[in-house]
Amino acid sequence: MHIRPITDLRNTTEISEICNSTGEPVFITKNGYGDLVVMSLAAYERDIAKARLHASLMEGIRQVNACEYRDADELLAELRLKYAGK
């Protein structure tokens, strides 16, 4: 974990190198308290993809627990009827 004071933001190249080389965020403090988080674009996109996957999995689990699922053969037959010839 990288924690830096806000004054270190003056050296954006160093902060960028830390973010890109480690793939981890840099936590920025102001007056000793957490204030900002800086991360590389690649790390941000990775974390967003993980969050979306987690949300999809949780929705699937919720649907299974609520018995909101359908028989695959029935669903495929319905889709064939709907999209046949299109």
Side-chain angles (χ1 to χ4, degrees), residues 13-14 16 20-21 31 34 37 39 41 47 50 58-61 67 72 82:
T13 301
E14 181 182 357
S16 175
N20 285 297
S21 66
N31 298 323
V37 176
M39 62 187 350
L41 181 59
D47 290 352
K50 283 182 184 179
M58 293 307 295
E59 176 61 17
I61 289 169
C67 297
K82 183 175 179 179

Side-chain angles (χ1 to χ4, degrees), residues 2-86:
H2 301 277
I3 302 173
R4 295 295 189 86
I6 200 162
T7 55
D8 281 6
L9 287 179
R10 291 181 187 138
N11 189 349
T12 56
T13 301
E14 181 182 357
I15 299 295
S16 175
E17 286 174 1
I18 293 169
C19 291
N20 285 297
S21 66
T22 65
E24 297 178 359
V26 174
F27 297 88
I28 306 296
T29 62
K30 183 176 180 180
N31 298 323
Y33 296 96
D35 189 48
L36 301 169
V37 176
V38 179
M39 62 187 350
S40 69
L41 181 59
Y44 175 78
E45 289 174 343
R46 177 196 66 217
D47 290 352
I48 291 298
K50 283 182 184 179
R52 287 182 179 148
L53 175 60
H54 181 264
S56 293
L57 291 172
M58 293 307 295
E59 176 61 17
I61 289 169
R62 186 198 64 74
Q63 289 176 356
V64 167
N65 288 338
C67 297
E68 295 179 16
Y69 50 91
R70 298 175 59 189
D71 180 76
D73 291 330
E74 290 175 15
L75 177 61
L76 289 173
E78 182 181 318
L79 290 172
R80 282 187 192 103
L81 284 173
K82 183 175 179 179
Y83 294 104
K86 291 186 179 183

